[in-house]
Amino acid sequence: MMAVQALSSTEEQAELLRVLGHPMRLAVLKELTGGERAVGDIAERTGLGLSVLSQQLAILRKAALVSSRREAKQVFYTIDADQMKVARAVLDALVPEDGTRGASESTRPAEPPRPDVRLGAAMFAQVSRVTR
């Protein structure tokens, strides 16, 4: 797997995840998991218009998440596996080595105690009735 350092800055890593996080682009990428597809096939399978699809594919190309090839009048797209490995490495870097969900209770800083909201003036002035 490629190291996260393949993207030199946090901004570049965030941009890659932002590109991946868009619903239309995610739909396009899901279609491409089955292998190379022509633009017309992608449009038909995703329900995106050619203009919108073209915009989304341009963004995916710029992020190097897909590559294209032309055959006569058709353009075919495929996922760039190496760039997807980089994206996965960015996400994997956020998961602790031991696979736990986060810091253990012993290493997590203690939260400050929450004030008891019942201890307001009304609680202080509460009077009890004494019967004789």
Side-chain angles (χ1 to χ4, degrees):
M1 186 178 318
M2 298 182 104
V4 174
Q5 286 75 26
L7 295 176
S8 60
S9 72
T10 303
E11 288 79 17
E12 289 172 328
Q13 294 170 8
E15 176 63 15
L16 180 62
L17 296 179
R18 183 193 67 77
V19 169
L20 283 170
H22 190 279
M24 285 185 236
R25 291 189 287 270
L26 196 54
V28 169
L29 290 169
K30 285 182 178 183
E31 284 306 319
L32 294 175
T33 60
E36 183 180 72
R37 300 236 189 271
V39 172
D41 291 340
I42 298 169
E44 185 178 309
R45 296 170 76 97
T46 60
L48 298 173
L50 288 176
S51 176
V52 171
L53 178 59
S54 178
Q55 292 171 350
Q56 300 308 317
L57 286 168
I59 293 168
L60 290 169
R61 270 194 324 272
K62 184 177 178 187
L65 290 166
V66 299
S67 56
S68 63
R69 71 174 180 87
R70 182 175 293 279
E71 187 176 298
K73 291 184 179 183
Q74 286 195 322
V75 180
F76 294 86
Y77 282 87
T78 187
I79 288 178
D80 186 299
D82 289 338
Q83 188 69 346
M84 283 300 208
K85 288 177 184 175
V86 171
R88 183 176 181 160
V90 170
L91 292 171
D92 285 346
L94 299 175
V95 178
E97 289 294 320
D98 61 4
T100 60
R101 297 185 77 189
S104 69
E105 292 296 322
S106 63
T107 62
R108 190 175 292 156
E111 291 185 29
R114 293 184 179 184
D116 189 344
V117 294
R118 297 174 302 157
L119 295 179
M123 188 69 166
F124 178 76
Q126 190 175 38
V127 178
S128 59
R129 186 174 280 187
V130 179
T131 56
R132 290 189 190 193

